Amino acid sequence: MADGDRTGAKSKRILVTGGSGLVGRAIEQVVKAGEGRPDEEWVFLSSKDADLTDAAETRALFDRYRPTHVVHLAAMVGGLFRNMKYNLDFWRKNMQINDNVLHSAHEHGVTKVVSCLSTCIFPDKTTYPIDETMIHNGPPHSSNFGYSYAKRMIDVQNRGYYEQHGCMFTAVIPTNVFGMYDNFNIEDGHVLPGLIHKTYLAQKNGTSLEVWGSGQPRRQFIYSLDLARLFIWVLREYKEIQPIILSVGEEDEVSIKEAAESIVAATGFKGEVIFDTSKSDGQYKKTASNSKLRKYLPDFKFTPFSQAIKETCDWFTANYEMARK
Ligand code: NAP
Ligand code: GDP
């Protein structure tokens, strides 16, 4: 870990909150694989470094590292079923974390902060495709209102810090993310890590694979390593306060049933696949436009979904003991 002094050629110290999670680990992997630059020092943090719901701990962390840049990922995160159970906690914890991080960044004169929103925060009743201008146009889906409203407030805060203090605080809006180091907990996690874990167990125990809900809802999934490369680009090049959607194209949206079929193909699962329609479907779809991203990066290549699923399934099997579950 770095101490408070920045010396030598490293003029940028980039603090990554939530550095031990799915997205943080992917950014770390991409930086270590050669995307990092000589003038950049990257510091990846977990909740062990500071509880960011605590204002004093957050300030002390910023005193210690004195970052020039912040990638703000830390959040209470979960899939549909965890969100439905803990809407109040999602609201309170994420509001606290975001307020502490953004205010400490302002107090410490941080040059740029990139925070992380999500396409699930957009209005439920909307026209499609959804774009960056529509965040505050109506209530989010009721299943995750706590998380959604807290995330929307980052956009409000970014605008406030810019208008009142001239801060370059912005945000990205990824769709559903998946990849290595995800939370594979079946009850709490998102659909892909949940289904990958369930397929692993069904294969091992010779049981059927249970997909929750009807399988009809549709999602755009982004591989964590693709998101990491885009995040680094936003940190270095993106100059707007208004957020940017980081997503595969609308044509790459898949149903939950198709996503389950990709996992079955990647793992070679031969058992029965059943749909438990007594479980919630959540939001039917949240189809997002990536045309703003495409204007900036027309040639960016996303990893094909089937390849990314295969890499994630293989990683989960190879790292079963240490994987978060
Ligand atoms: P994740 O794997 O659950 O990681 C969450 C990270 O936040 C971990 O590093 C965790 O630290 C840290 N954290 C949680 N509470 C904290 C606290 N009180 N103090 C300090 N650190 C804390 O989540 P993720 O999927 O990488 O999500 C990263 C960001 O992307 C979040 O802002 C999330 O809202 C956003 N996002 C995620 C998705 C998705 O599908 N996963 C989609 C859109 C947007 P520990 O490891 O120490 O617990
Ligand atoms: P969302 O995209 O924010 O709604 O969150 P999720 O990543 O949890 O995806 C929820 C969608 O996947 C809903 O339509 C669920 O019914 C469906 N789904 C199917 N099986 C599972 C599962 O094992 N876990 C989760 N979290 N969702 C599942």
Side-chain angles (χ1 to χ4, degrees):
M1 283 289 171
D3 61 19
D5 297 320
R6 261 190 308 280
T7 50
K10 297 204 184 295
S11 56
K12 296 184 183 128
R13 178 172 295 156
I14 303 154
L15 210 60
V16 182
T17 73
S20 54
L22 164 68
V23 181
R25 292 280 203 153
I27 295 177
E28 186 174 26
Q29 230 174 306
V30 167
V31 165
K32 285 192 175 149
E35 278 290 318
R37 290 181 179 165
D39 65 337
E40 293 172 349
E41 177 187 358
W42 290 79
V43 180
F44 292 89
L45 303 170
S46 77
S47 64
K48 293 196 186 79
D49 294 288
D51 176 0
L52 299 173
T53 62
D54 184 293
E57 282 193 38
T58 308
R59 200 172 298 118
L61 187 82
F62 276 75
D63 282 343
R64 178 167 179 213
Y65 288 108
R66 307 215 155 266
T68 57
H69 295 70
V70 174
V71 170
H72 174 38
L73 305 173
M76 181 175 177
V77 179
L80 168 64
F81 298 92
R82 188 175 189 213
N83 271 276
M84 284 172 26
K85 266 195 273 181
Y86 301 114
N87 265 297
L88 177 65
D89 293 351
F90 273 95
W91 160 259
R92 293 195 66 224
K93 278 191 198 298
N94 287 328
M95 281 300 295
Q96 287 164 345
I97 291 174
N98 298 335
D99 191 50
N100 290 335
V101 168
L102 292 180
H103 200 63
S104 288
H106 163 56
E107 284 178 339
H108 287 77
V110 169
T111 308
K112 185 168 180 179
V113 179
V114 183
S115 298
C116 202
L117 312 181
S118 163
T119 50
C120 68
I121 74 170
F122 282 106
D124 183 38
K125 306 250 177 311
T126 184
T127 54
Y128 299 100
I130 296 164
D131 70 40
E132 290 84 352
T133 66
M134 296 157 80
I135 297 177
H136 305 286
N137 284 1
H141 193 263
S142 59
S143 59
N144 58 9
F145 71 89
Y147 176 83
S148 297
Y149 278 118
K151 285 281 177 186
R152 286 183 184 191
M153 290 308 112
I154 290 183
D155 183 56
V156 172
Q157 286 176 293
N158 285 348
R159 180 176 162 191
Y161 278 109
Y162 176 70
E163 288 188 6
Q164 224 172 297
H165 300 295
C167 297
M168 181 60 217
F169 293 178
T170 188
V172 300
I173 314 179
T175 53
N176 290 51
V177 190
F178 71 101
M180 297 156 243
Y181 300 98
D182 206 340
N183 178 7
F184 291 86
N185 183 285
I186 291 172
E187 296 299 321
D188 288 348
H190 288 98
V191 54
L192 291 182
L195 289 178
I196 290 170
H197 192 176
K198 285 197 253 184
T199 307
Y200 175 92
L201 294 176
Q203 209 160 21
K204 193 167 137 209
N205 301 327
T207 52
S208 51
L209 166 62
E210 194 179 276
V211 181
W212 291 342
S214 66
Q216 298 308 306
R218 303 182 67 75
R219 298 288 183 266
Q220 285 155 301
F221 292 104
I222 184 167
Y223 191 30
S224 58
L225 295 175
D226 292 342
L227 176 60
R229 286 155 60 217
L230 291 171
F231 230 117
I232 293 168
W233 168 77
V234 170
L235 181 73
R236 290 176 183 154
E237 310 293 344
Y238 184 69
K239 306 265 187 300
E240 299 183 37
I241 301 299
Q242 288 76 23
I244 181 166
I245 291 173
L246 301 182
S247 173
V248 299
E250 292 153 59
E251 66 285 3
D252 292 318
E253 187 175 57
V254 295
S255 69
I256 298 298
K257 180 170 183 281
E258 288 164 335
E261 286 165 357
S262 293
I263 294 169
V264 165
T267 55
F269 176 67
K270 298 279 182 274
E272 192 188 6
V273 179
I274 55 174
F275 292 84
D276 180 352
T277 51
S278 70
K279 297 262 194 187
S280 172
D281 267 345
Q283 195 164 6
Y284 175 61
K285 65 176 187 174
K286 35 191 174 176
T287 319
S289 162
N290 70 356
S291 54
K292 184 175 187 177
L293 173 66
R294 281 302 183 201
K295 271 193 205 121
Y296 280 106
L297 296 179
D299 299 325
F300 184 85
K301 297 255 179 313
F302 289 94
T303 309
F305 183 58
S306 56
Q307 180 188 330
I309 285 285
K310 174 90 180 108
E311 288 176 12
T312 307
C313 291
D314 289 350
W315 181 89
F316 181 67
T317 304
N319 295 279
Y320 184 74
E321 290 311 322
M322 60 77 81
R324 257 194 305 165
K325 55 187 187 303

